[in-house]
Amino acid sequence: MLTALAASYDSGFYGMGGGMLYGLYDPTYILVLIGLVITLIASANVKRTFNRYDKIGSRRGITAAEAARKILDANGLYNIRIERVSGNLTDHFSPKENVIRLSDATFNSTSIAALGVAAHECGHAVQHQVGYVPIKIRNGIVPFVNVCSYASIPIIIIGIILGATGLAYVGVALFCAVLAFQIITLPTETNASSRAIKTLESMNLLDSEELAGAKKVLMAAAMTYFASVASTALQLFRLLLIINNSRRRD
């Protein structure tokens, strides 16, 4: 999943914490702003790069859906369906449903960008087939991380309000699980992109010049995940500063 997953486990709690508890001025907001700028730049870059190479059709003229079917069949994944899903860059692989969903911008497109995205999602399917360890770990901790994502900030706030530093740090520990999830996601995404490029080349779906463009699209997408990690790490640092300031005030 190229961009959706990058935001799925971002903290999403910008504006909560220090400003609410300590008044209108909170210098730690600079960390929020830095994280926001990083993610916005990464998001804008992937859209710009995708749009650039989405205008360049592949010489073979094969659609992304057709390319995905060829890649899956070549890996013996005949049971995985390919479906169309609404939206732009909403492409993803659902292992529970055995389906790759390609967005409106990708499904019938013959562009370099579309084929790169489709091959990337096939890369995730192959990861499941071969038992790629990082993706097994990532999928295994999803339910726990979902709980941590929703519970961490409220627990931290309650701990600060009650002056219970220990409770606040429990919330921080839960928040660390969100960051750990994002870090584990990095190799799953970069590996899927690496598999995609190798497959597009070995199956002659793109030539060497076209592969260079597909690499740029997938690299830009990967940067959104790194940006998400950086943003969450900055938010974690901010939370620690807020807790430390609260302890000093008590």
Side-chain angles (χ1 to χ4, degrees):
M1 188 183 305
L2 285 176
T3 57
L5 190 60
S8 295
Y9 294 97
D10 197 3
S11 64
F13 291 100
Y14 296 132
M16 295 186 68
M20 182 180 71
L21 296 172
Y22 300 125
L24 295 177
Y25 176 70
D26 176 9
T28 66
Y29 271 118
I30 187 64
L31 298 175
V32 173
L33 293 176
I34 293 172
L36 182 60
V37 168
I38 291 173
T39 55
L40 288 176
I41 290 174
S43 178
N45 182 52
V46 71
K47 291 177 181 178
R48 181 174 60 252
T49 306
F50 180 87
N51 289 336
R52 175 184 176 185
Y53 289 99
D54 192 42
K55 296 175 182 177
I56 304 175
S58 62
R59 292 183 176 89
R60 284 196 59 183
I62 188 173
T63 69
E66 291 170 340
R69 185 71 271 160
K70 287 179 178 294
I71 294 171
L72 293 174
D73 290 350
N75 285 277
L77 297 173
Y78 308 105
N79 61 319
I80 295 180
R81 308 186 313 278
I82 300 172
E83 297 179 353
R84 186 167 184 159
V85 64
S86 61
N88 186 25
L89 292 178
T90 52
D91 314 84
H92 62 277
F93 168 57
S94 174
K96 290 184 178 180
E97 301 171 280
N98 274 337
V99 59
I100 286 178
R101 296 190 175 96
L102 300 178
S103 65
D104 291 332
T106 303
F107 193 88
N108 282 324
S109 175
T110 61
S111 73
I112 294 171
L115 265 67
V117 170
H120 174 92
E121 300 309 330
C122 291
H124 284 308
V126 174
Q127 286 175 339
H128 281 271
Q129 179 194 42
V130 300
Y132 183 62
V133 174
I135 204 167
K136 291 173 68 175
I137 295 174
R138 173 190 165 279
N139 290 344
I141 65 174
V142 164
F144 174 68
V145 172
N146 279 332
V147 173
C148 292
S149 179
Y150 286 107
S152 57
I153 300 298
I155 290 175
I156 291 171
I157 292 175
I158 292 172
I160 292 174
I161 291 174
L162 298 178
T165 303
L167 180 61
Y169 279 121
V170 169
V172 168
L174 296 180
F175 193 84
C176 286
V178 178
L179 178 59
F181 177 88
Q182 292 179 334
I183 292 173
I184 292 172
T185 296
L186 293 178
T188 69
E189 295 301 322
T190 56
N191 178 265
S193 292
S194 177
R195 292 175 187 272
I197 295 301
K198 290 179 181 178
T199 300
L200 289 170
E201 182 177 22
S202 64
M203 296 184 65
N204 296 313
L205 296 175
L206 294 178
D207 63 29
S208 58
E209 184 179 345
E210 294 169 334
L211 281 171
K215 286 180 182 179
K216 291 180 181 179
V217 172
L218 297 180
M219 178 62 71
M223 288 300 102
T224 64
Y225 293 91
F226 284 97
S228 183
V229 168
S231 178
T232 302
L234 287 169
Q235 180 74 328
L236 174 61
F237 182 46
R238 176 178 182 244
L239 293 171
L240 290 171
L241 289 176
I242 291 172
I243 294 172
N244 187 57
N245 288 338
S246 173
R247 186 170 57 182
R248 289 178 180 179
R249 290 169 182 265
D250 292 340

